[in-house]
Amino acid sequence: MTNDCIRLEHISKRFGRTEVLKDLSAVLHRGEILGFLGPSGAGKTTAIKILTGQLKASSGEAFVLGTRVENINETIYEQIGIVTDQSGVYERLTVYANLHYFAKILRVDAARVEELLKRAGLWEHRKKPAGKLSKGQAQRLVLVRAILHRPKVLFLDEPTSGLDPSTALDIHSLLTELRDEGMAIFLTTHNMEEAARLCSHVALLNDGQIVEYGTPEELCLRYNQLKRYRVRLTDGTRLLLGQTGEDVDRLSALLREDRVASLHSCEPTLESVFLTVTGRTLQ
């Protein structure tokens, strides 16, 4: 059990007669990012609240760093970080003062504040009141605050929702670095492109139930039933060829004649896999 940073075993959650989570099972190891993917209302945030001890599961067991969530104590909380849409900052304090305040609470050396501000691209804004930051800058500040104490497990609930692509990529870069340093990251998102880029494994969540689970590549290949290939010829012509004997012969001839400039397979995206499995979009 202690080799797993997070483990969910047949977790269900009811609010009255409404079952919002149904028999969830998943595992997250050190140095991995596990993505819980699905539209709003799929149960992603509820799963985080159960794992962090904010809600009690109706049935099943959940473990964080080898400890049942019902028994999570201060020692465990000191080893996790959390970023949610309710993770606010002290708007009248400067960026630096916000982090310095939490560094004192978490018994973190002040040098760590400077290191992370530079790493997150916030150093030049350190004297600015947090309330004056852009949305992307504020989100980076919240993320930095969550990793000040070098947690072993980081919970991220839609961390790039509503951000511009450039800022989202900056956050992706930081998360990749943290993963490579050994941090275990539990990520919820409805952005399938983000999940495909970042996640070691993903769980597709629909109406509180995991409908598919695996690596992004595994899931895309599993649903690649209509195999097709995009071909661009040296004269600029574009072709879409399938697995039929006629198309295979045509492609072979083009390759022998050295007329193929590029060739790409057309396996589905995670978003199209989700649509195939659930019959619904992510909106």
Side-chain angles (χ1 to χ4, degrees):
M1 187 67 64
T2 54
N3 292 326
D4 306 326
C5 292
I6 289 176
R7 179 176 288 274
L8 293 165
E9 296 181 351
H10 306 291
I11 289 293
S12 295
K13 177 62 181 177
R14 289 181 175 275
F15 291 106
R17 295 183 178 181
T18 303
E19 190 173 28
V20 296
L21 293 180
K22 307 169 187 176
D23 195 33
L24 301 191
S25 293
V27 64
L28 171 63
H29 299 103
R30 182 178 183 273
E32 292 183 348
I33 299 178
L34 172 62
F36 262 40
L37 318 182
S40 299
K44 305 186 301 294
T45 300
T46 300
I48 281 187
K49 288 184 176 180
I50 288 174
L51 283 166
T52 54
Q54 300 174 66
L55 283 176
K56 184 177 180 180
S58 300
S59 62
E61 292 185 308
F63 300 83
V64 175
L65 296 173
T67 299
R68 285 184 173 84
V69 293
E70 295 87 346
N71 301 325
I72 285 181
N73 53 31
E74 183 178 344
T75 301
I76 298 298
Y77 279 124
E78 289 176 349
Q79 299 179 74
I80 68 175
I82 306 174
V83 174
T84 71
D85 60 359
Q86 297 176 336
S87 299
V89 295
Y90 294 106
E91 295 188 348
R92 294 185 180 180
L93 293 181
T94 66
V95 169
Y96 185 89
N98 263 276
L99 294 182
H100 185 67
Y101 174 74
F102 283 98
K104 290 172 64 177
I105 293 175
L106 297 167
R107 301 186 297 278
V108 173
D109 193 283
R112 173 73 170 164
V113 174
E114 180 176 339
E115 171 198 339
L116 288 178
L117 283 174
K118 291 179 178 178
R119 190 171 176 182
L122 291 173
W123 180 248
E124 64 185 53
H125 304 288
R126 65 190 182 279
K127 297 180 181 180
K128 183 184 296 185
K132 299 293 185 180
L133 296 176
S134 68
K135 183 174 181 179
Q137 292 165 347
Q139 188 69 349
R140 276 183 278 171
L141 175 58
V142 170
L143 178 56
V144 166
R145 188 183 70 188
I147 62 174
L148 262 177
H149 56 307
R150 294 184 173 87
K152 293 181 179 179
V153 180
L154 179 62
F155 293 94
L156 301 174
D157 193 8
E158 303 276 2
T160 60
S161 179
L163 300 185
D164 64 88
S166 177
T167 301
L169 286 175
D170 288 341
I171 290 179
H172 291 171
S173 178
L174 180 55
L175 295 181
T176 300
E177 291 177 18
L178 295 172
R179 177 201 64 195
D180 293 344
E181 290 170 5
M183 189 177 293
I185 301 175
F186 186 95
L187 168 73
T188 74
T189 181
H190 64 269
N191 185 332
M192 295 292 176
E193 184 178 344
E194 175 175 76
R197 181 181 297 117
L198 295 176
C199 295
S200 312
H201 290 82
V202 295
L204 303 187
L205 203 63
N206 185 47
D207 292 333
Q209 187 171 11
I210 294 177
V211 292
E212 270 294 1
Y213 184 88
T215 69
E217 183 180 21
E218 285 172 351
L219 295 187
C220 291
L221 291 177
R222 188 179 303 166
Y223 287 87
N224 189 23
Q225 297 173 354
L226 184 61
K227 294 181 173 64
R228 296 181 299 176
Y229 305 91
R230 290 192 303 272
V231 183
R232 181 170 181 172
L233 303 183
T234 52
D235 64 2
T237 302
R238 298 175 186 270
L239 304 173
L240 183 62
L241 302 178
Q243 286 280 81
T244 65
E246 181 182 350
D247 279 353
V248 170
D249 290 342
R250 187 180 182 188
L251 179 58
S252 296
L254 290 168
L255 289 168
R256 285 194 301 268
E257 296 165 6
D258 195 24
R259 296 176 57 195
V260 175
S262 64
L263 173 64
H264 300 280
S265 60
C266 300
E267 59 269 6
T269 64
L270 275 180
E271 186 161 3
S272 61
V273 169
F274 187 87
L275 178 60
T276 298
V277 174
T278 66
R280 62 185 294 190
T281 66
L282 291 166
Q283 302 304 319

